[in-house]
Amino acid sequence: MSTAINTLIEQWKQAVTAKDVEKIVSFYADDIVAFDAVNALQFKGKAAYQAHWKACMAFCPGPGVFDFHQLHIVAADGIAFAHWLAHCGGTGPDGVLKTCWMRVSAGYQRIDDQWKVVHEHWSAPFDMETGAGLFDLEP
């Protein structure tokens, strides 16, 4: 089972790298609840998260970085969980590449004989005193 989740994560990662939003969201359950690191407290449903992905791709139209480290998967019958550190970013309209390290966790469920992402959470640590994101931390 963890092999199937690893394959799904790799295929999803390739879709993100290719900026193929339709393919990206094909891995999500229709009723996904996502906690992304930018713009909203939460996204409910595939359509809302798809709109967010489109906005992210428009914000970084140039080449990007999307590398995963320390991937850990736990899978059981019909349900799985994964977490990893992601080094990600993109080239903005100004041509400058900006990257940071993010923390990612995701929940998967077997629905109609296919693994789907039912929950995804991206976050970055922050300094409690200043409220500033700590985007320069490295593993």
Side-chain angles (χ1 to χ4, degrees):
M1 278 179 266
S2 64
T3 302
I5 299 302
N6 191 54
T7 299
L8 182 143
I9 291 169
E10 190 57 38
Q11 291 171 345
W12 172 79
K13 182 178 155 186
Q14 290 170 6
V16 172
T17 302
K19 299 180 184 259
D20 185 344
V21 174
E22 294 300 319
K23 182 74 171 174
I24 293 167
V25 299
S26 73
F27 294 96
Y28 298 129
D30 290 339
D31 60 350
I32 185 170
V33 175
F35 301 159
D36 202 290
V38 295
N39 291 340
L41 186 60
Q42 63 183 337
F43 297 92
K44 289 185 174 184
K46 190 186 283 191
Y49 207 28
Q50 180 174 11
H52 174 68
W53 272 105
K54 285 181 181 177
C56 288
M57 296 303 176
F59 185 75
C60 295
V65 172
F66 204 61
D67 297 322
F68 295 174
H69 301 266
Q70 300 177 19
L71 174 64
H72 182 74
I73 299 168
V74 176
D77 188 33
I79 196 159
F81 172 82
H83 62 81
W84 62 91
L85 297 175
H87 185 221
C88 56
T91 304
D94 57 1
V96 176
L97 177 65
K98 296 177 184 169
T99 65
C100 67
W101 285 91
M102 301 287 289
R103 304 170 297 197
V104 187
S105 56
Y108 304 85
Q109 184 177 354
R110 199 142 174 86
I111 301 170
D112 296 329
D113 208 32
Q114 287 188 318
W115 285 103
K116 294 287 183 177
V117 183
V118 293
H119 178 68
E120 190 172 89
H121 188 149
W122 289 75
S123 67
F126 72 98
D127 183 301
M128 288 178 53
E129 290 183 21
T130 65
L134 299 173
F135 297 111
D136 57 349
L137 296 179
E138 295 183 18

